[in-house]
Amino acid sequence: MHPMLNIAVRASRAGGKVISRAFEQHDKVEVELKGTNDVVTNVDVAAEQAIIETIRKSYPKHTIISEEGGVLKGEDDDYQWIIDPLDGTANFVKGIPHFAVSIALRVKCKLDQAVVFDPIRGDLFTASRGKGAQLNGFRIRVKQPKELTGAILATGFPFKKKQHIDAYFNILKTLFVKTSDMRRAGSAALDLAYVASGKVDGFFEIGLKPWDTAAGELLVIEAGGLVTDFTGGHNHMQSGNIVASSTRLLKEILKDIRPHLGESLSK
């Protein structure tokens, strides 16, 4: 295992330990509203602290970009750790056991290492640039369906971007009638990890943040898939609008998405 991936795994397990303990003592979870339809808990903060402390012990000069702490710029900004300590906070708050720790390392603007860790199931998804992706130590690959018929797609509602609700449901309707089924599980990091491991055939969502998608993106790419924005370009980190699937199926998904985008989603 790459030494930096090893640290990412160690950090994800440290964060996951905090989350698992708190999930068993749910009455002690403190919830605050940090924005419209956006909550944070004391567990998010504690898990993030455990993750950052683990990374800083080995790489004190690296930059850290985290959901709760923002940008902690280091002396060596070529190395940037992108962290979501608890992706799926709403699930966690409601006692739904589907959430993950997401950690990615970007080296000179390129995704280099990735971990998505599900602390409830114990599933550890990992990837190193150019070295493939794994689930619990076994190689994983994106499914390669030839068409949308029979496919299962994952998605997330634009609950923080409700101005796009009409466009979103038009996209959903168009894709739903062509596919076998849809899944909306509440964790983009796990959705992308599931694309990488062939559990679902594709994923799309509006308005995500880099810490939601960075680790999952590398997992999908290293598992033989593609990740783009809604126009087939590479602006998804900036726009937050993301599609992930196999090469062939992604083209089909984009073809059905494009007619519903409008100007604001075409960027």
Side-chain angles (χ1 to χ4, degrees):
M1 184 180 288
H2 190 287
M4 290 185 182
L5 180 61
N6 189 44
I7 295 302
V9 169
R10 192 180 303 172
S12 73
R13 291 195 184 280
K17 189 174 183 179
V18 171
I19 295 165
S20 296
R21 285 178 175 174
F23 196 67
E24 294 172 358
Q25 300 175 313
H26 215 255
D27 57 321
K28 296 181 181 179
V29 175
E30 300 168 11
V31 184
E32 294 181 18
L33 191 66
K34 65 177 181 178
T36 305
N37 301 316
D38 196 7
V39 297
V40 63
T41 72
N42 57 322
V43 180
D44 293 73
V45 176
E48 184 173 275
Q49 184 177 0
I51 292 165
I52 291 173
E53 285 177 357
T54 303
I55 294 171
R56 281 263 163 92
K57 283 178 183 177
S58 297
Y59 303 108
K61 295 183 179 181
H62 290 185
T63 290
I64 292 175
I65 301 167
S66 59
E67 180 174 13
E68 310 308 334
V71 179
L72 305 174
K73 194 160 186 178
E75 293 177 37
D76 193 349
D77 196 43
D78 283 343
Y79 292 84
Q80 299 178 338
W81 296 83
I82 306 171
I83 300 165
D84 190 340
L86 178 49
D87 185 66
T89 299
N91 282 349
F92 177 84
V93 168
K94 294 296 185 181
I96 300 169
H98 188 81
F99 39 78
V101 178
S102 177
I103 303 173
L105 173 64
R106 190 163 54 194
V107 180
K108 295 182 178 179
C109 299
K110 292 183 178 180
L111 290 171
D112 195 72
Q113 308 294 328
V115 173
V116 172
F117 178 52
D118 178 341
I120 299 301
R121 296 177 184 84
D123 283 341
L124 181 71
F125 299 86
T126 60
S128 292
R129 186 166 174 256
K131 302 295 184 182
Q134 296 185 330
L135 167 57
N136 298 329
F138 294 93
R139 184 71 182 266
I140 53 177
R141 299 290 296 176
V142 170
K143 283 273 182 71
Q144 301 288 335
K146 295 180 179 179
E147 54 189 15
L148 282 168
T149 303
I152 292 181
L153 300 184
T155 187
F157 300 141
F159 63 97
K160 297 179 188 177
K161 300 281 184 178
K162 289 189 176 179
Q163 69 271 26
H164 298 308
I165 197 69
D166 289 337
Y168 173 79
F169 278 115
N170 285 332
I171 292 168
L172 187 70
K173 180 180 178 181
T174 301
L175 290 168
F176 179 73
V177 298
K178 293 185 177 182
T179 59
S180 172
D181 207 348
M182 294 279 191
R183 297 288 182 268
R184 194 278 190 240
S187 169
L190 282 174
D191 286 335
L192 287 162
Y194 283 9
V195 173
S197 56
K199 297 178 188 293
V200 295
D201 300 295
F203 168 70
F204 68 98
E205 190 165 343
I206 292 171
L208 293 173
K209 298 294 185 182
W211 46 79
D212 297 318
T213 62
E217 177 180 348
L218 187 62
L219 285 170
V220 171
I221 291 169
E222 288 299 325
L226 288 177
V227 179
T228 72
D229 59 25
F230 282 2
T231 66
H234 299 287
N235 195 44
H236 47 281
M237 278 283 191
Q238 288 70 41
S239 71
N241 308 323
I242 188 170
V243 184
S245 189
S246 65
T247 304
R248 188 165 183 171
L249 203 64
L250 187 134
K251 291 178 181 177
E252 294 298 311
I253 296 170
L254 291 176
K255 186 172 69 176
D256 287 326
I257 283 177
R258 284 193 184 102
H260 306 294
L261 293 182
E263 186 177 349
S264 61
L265 291 176
S266 297
K267 298 175 181 177

